[in-house]
Amino acid sequence: MAFSVAWLNRTPWWGWGLVVACLVALGLTSRWWLRGPALLKAGAWLLAGASVTTAVLAYPPAENRAAGGADPRPSRTVPTQEGPVRGVLNDERDVEIFAGIPYARPPVGDRRWRPPQPPEPRSALLTADRFSDVPVQGTSTFLTRALSQVVEAPLEGTLLNPYPVSEDSLYLNIWRSTNPSTERLPVLVYIPGGGFATGSGALPLYDGESLASRGQAITVTINYRLGVLGFLSHPDLAAESGAGASGNYGLLDQIAALRWVRQNIAAFGGDPERVTIAGESAGGESVCILGATPRAKGLVHGVIGGSGACMGTLGDTDRGDQYDNRPAAEAAGRDLSERLGGATVAEMRRMPADRIVEAAKPLNGHWRPSVDGYVLDRAPADIYAAGGQSDVPVLVGSNADEASLALLSPPDADVADYRRGVREEHGADAELFLRLYPGDTEEQVRDSLLRAETDKVMTRAMRRWAMLQTRSGHADAYTYYFTHVPPEAGLRQFGAYHGAEVMYAYDNLGKDGNAAYDERDFTLRDQMSGYWINFARTGNPNGPGLPDWPTFQEEPDKVMRFDAGSTVEPRPRPDAVDFWLRHEGPLP
């Protein structure tokens, strides 16, 4: 669609965080400037300048996040295949945290753009009390970290990566209860999102501490290579690989982390035969791909996917497809080589990472999973349609206002241009489209643009995932729709925005920001996290004290709606979503 807000996906999430912070700061300053007398104006500027100067002078550089509480005590020592590991206790002394455990060797130097290699054995004790560097990505600057001391921006810890970045980032983190269990516990592995360009397992929003404290599951978060360092395809890389394929190194990292979990989690009290993978946004797309690729068979026993799936088309991401085919992916790799002066792969491996990343920026749409013939031999949706996926239970869903953060930079809403663009793109379906997404006023156009993007990219994809999973497989599927508006002052205008459900489902309310949560939020948190833990334990989210959640097979036109409570209701916007399910062209 000519007026799609796909540009939302081209803006890094840390960029939205910076925009939010700047808007808040400008709003405060302009309020003083426009309304106050001259003396007050001068005082406001002096106060703002002094506050920022103080913050700049006082705020430390980016640091690795420490695990444990204010007074960390050592955990028990755990033997792993590489050597003994000891973590730290949380403040309540009811959870042991093992942060920064390597699951692969650092992918640096000659190991850049190669499959991950098993970690080196260790004879010495590894003290796992600090999260590792995070994968190379956009990060907060000294100025933005200082600004955060004088202006409170919503979700700044998630949207503005505050930690050091490095290629040496293939580490995972484990949380387990200090109360011994008589059974091996199920394992929930969370794969962070961020458009395959940002994110890490160190973000507090993804912490597994609260879930692990219940003593019903062990939780894990991971890092994996991002951007051009994680997804470069090139003919010379394929030639040297032994598998005739290149790219998807970030996905191979995820698989290596799952293989490490399978080999070692029993030592932590976990059950290697009950590993559920979960993720949101690019994390949801990742777990969808892991469910499809034969490389992850036997490593995955359940899948939880939120607001991200692998149900789009194959071709060229430059024209709107979700996945590059091999020629398109390798063409982007050759283009990068030319931008670096015709450098060979060997020469690019010797270059500083920041030089590679800078040269790769004009091609950023290509640095994501592709169909390489090894991890993926065809579009993931085709694998699901043919029954080639792992036949395991899935729990998938999306949010009501997925595209709303685009309002930070509103799309053009000219009525005539909108209607002309719809007719050009949709032809005989234009009138149907305009009934579904009317555009009689600029406000209506803007709302329709965001609604169409939400229906097309997210609601449709998650439904298609459940449909194909159950059509060709036998395992149960469960679908949800999140409509609750979190009470964060800076984000209320965005409704049930992209990612809003994460803090509820993983019991992390307040881990990034100080919203005025009330009983409705806590009830929803308890319900969602209860469903998630039950699903990890049994492949079925239902349990005592929770509203009954039917399978997709039982009620294909019903979803579990998460709002102030949990109720089963008809699926959202069926006519609009079915319109996109019939759509033939490129779809993310």
Side-chain angles (χ1 to χ4, degrees):
M1 176 178 177
F3 293 86
S4 165
V5 290
W7 38 264
L8 171 67
N9 297 321
R10 296 199 296 269
T11 303
W13 290 111
W14 61 266
W16 291 127
L18 180 57
V19 170
V20 170
C22 291
L23 288 175
V24 175
L26 287 172
L28 292 173
T29 304
S30 63
R31 186 178 304 169
W32 290 334
W33 181 259
L34 293 173
R35 297 183 182 178
L39 185 60
L40 183 58
K41 295 174 189 176
W45 281 114
L46 287 172
L47 177 62
S51 298
V52 171
T53 301
T54 300
V56 168
L57 293 174
Y59 199 67
E63 294 180 336
N64 295 90
R65 181 184 168 207
D71 180 25
R73 304 287 179 84
S75 74
R76 292 166 289 179
T77 298
V78 177
T80 70
Q81 290 192 357
E82 291 76 42
V85 176
R86 185 169 63 204
V88 291
L89 298 173
N90 65 346
D91 277 331
E92 291 75 17
R93 308 293 190 246
D94 61 354
V95 172
E96 293 177 313
I97 307 167
F98 302 84
I101 301 176
Y103 69 81
R105 297 183 191 185
V108 299
D110 191 53
R111 287 195 291 270
R112 180 187 283 173
W113 297 312
R114 292 189 193 274
Q117 299 300 306
E120 294 275 8
R122 302 179 305 272
S123 56
L125 173 70
L126 172 66
T127 301
D129 62 353
R130 188 168 289 271
F131 293 85
S132 71
D133 288 356
V134 305
V136 173
Q137 60 190 276
T139 188
S140 64
T141 65
F142 193 75
L143 181 59
T144 59
R145 291 196 300 278
L147 181 62
S148 72
Q149 301 303 289
V150 293
V151 176
E152 183 175 342
L155 297 179
E156 67 182 39
T158 301
L159 302 177
L160 283 168
N161 167 48
Y163 307 121
V165 302
S166 170
E167 284 188 88
D168 181 7
S169 62
L170 300 187
Y171 296 80
L172 53 77
N173 317 295
I174 300 173
W175 290 260
R176 71 172 183 179
S177 171
T178 56
N179 297 318
S181 172
T182 57
E183 63 164 334
R184 285 190 173 177
L185 295 177
V187 185
L188 181 62
V189 179
Y190 190 85
I191 299 175
F196 298 103
T198 66
S200 80
L203 293 174
L205 192 64
Y206 305 146
D207 275 3
E209 179 179 332
S210 295
L211 293 183
S213 69
R214 306 179 188 194
Q216 297 179 300
I218 290 174
T219 52
V220 180
T221 63
I222 71 170
N223 292 339
Y224 56 94
R225 280 173 282 183
L226 301 170
V228 66
L229 298 172
F231 294 96
L232 175 71
S233 293
H234 193 284
D236 293 344
L237 288 173
E240 71 175 28
S241 70
S246 65
N248 290 334
Y249 303 107
L251 295 176
L252 291 171
D253 293 342
Q254 295 173 9
I255 294 168
L258 291 175
R259 190 170 294 116
W260 189 96
V261 167
R262 181 168 182 81
Q263 294 168 348
N264 290 282
I265 205 63
F268 292 84
D271 185 348
E273 299 299 330
R274 284 193 293 168
V275 175
T276 295
I277 55 175
E280 181 270 341
S281 193
E285 184 177 343
S286 293
V287 299
C288 184
I289 292 172
L290 293 174
T293 175
R295 304 296 163 193
K297 286 281 180 71
L299 301 175
V300 175
H301 309 99
V303 176
I304 300 175
S307 302
C310 57
M311 294 289 119
T313 52
L314 171 66
D316 188 335
T317 56
D318 279 344
R319 69 179 185 90
D321 293 289
Q322 187 173 16
Y323 297 107
D324 278 342
N325 56 29
R326 182 166 172 170
E330 291 188 346
R334 288 194 296 269
D335 193 344
L336 175 64
S337 175
E338 292 304 314
R339 291 170 186 271
L340 291 166
T344 65
V345 166
E347 290 169 336
M348 289 193 292
R349 283 185 170 131
R350 292 193 294 269
M351 291 179 182
D354 55 1
R355 182 181 175 190
I356 299 289
V357 170
E358 186 63 31
K361 283 181 179 178
L363 303 163
N364 273 352
H366 294 282
W367 314 134
R368 61 183 338 278
S370 63
V371 175
D372 61 344
Y374 179 69
V375 175
L376 292 170
D377 63 357
R378 50 194 152 153
D382 293 339
I383 296 174
Y384 279 91
Q389 77 277 15
S390 294
D391 191 8
V392 299
V394 301
L395 187 158
V396 298
S398 60
N399 297 357
D401 302 295
E402 295 281 3
S404 63
L405 290 175
L407 290 171
L408 288 167
S409 178
D412 177 52
D414 182 82
V415 171
D417 286 350
Y418 173 73
R419 298 176 74 86
R420 181 167 54 252
V422 167
R423 291 193 173 92
E424 289 175 356
E425 179 153 349
H426 293 283
D429 287 332
E431 291 307 315
L432 171 59
F433 185 94
L434 288 170
R435 286 198 298 274
L436 297 170
Y437 305 105
D440 297 324
T441 66
E442 287 191 0
E443 182 179 5
Q444 203 173 56
V445 167
R446 191 171 292 114
D447 181 72
S448 287
L449 288 170
L450 301 181
R451 180 55 51 198
E453 195 76 1
T454 292
D455 293 341
K456 175 180 73 169
V457 177
M458 295 299 179
T459 316
R460 163 200 170 274
M462 307 315 282
R463 179 167 176 79
R464 191 179 189 206
W465 185 355
M467 290 171 64
L468 294 182
Q469 175 80 22
T470 55
R471 186 178 298 165
S472 61
H474 299 92
D476 290 336
Y478 299 86
T479 56
Y480 72 85
Y481 193 62
F482 185 90
T483 62
H484 183 68
V485 179
E488 297 133 302
L491 291 173
R492 278 198 188 97
Q493 62 178 308
F494 303 114
Y497 57 86
H498 184 68
E501 84 290 357
V502 172
M503 67 186 81
Y504 292 87
Y506 298 93
D507 194 358
N508 281 323
L509 291 185
K511 282 294 184 73
D512 191 357
N514 296 310
Y517 299 116
D518 59 26
E519 196 59 35
R520 293 171 299 176
D521 296 286
F522 300 134
T523 297
L524 181 57
R525 173 202 63 190
D526 293 344
Q527 289 179 331
M528 291 190 72
S529 60
Y531 282 128
W532 265 233
I533 285 289
N534 290 341
F535 184 83
R537 289 181 61 80
T538 67
N540 183 334
N542 292 293
L546 295 172
D548 185 63
W549 188 346
T551 66
F552 183 85
Q553 294 93 325
E554 294 167 333
E555 296 280 3
D557 289 316
K558 299 284 184 68
V559 297
M560 178 61 76
R561 177 178 174 176
F562 291 121
D563 201 337
S566 304
T567 57
V568 176
E569 295 186 3
R571 65 184 176 101
R573 299 177 54 80
D575 292 344
V577 174
D578 289 349
F579 172 86
W580 292 112
L581 284 169
R582 295 191 300 268
H583 190 83
E584 291 298 330
L587 277 174

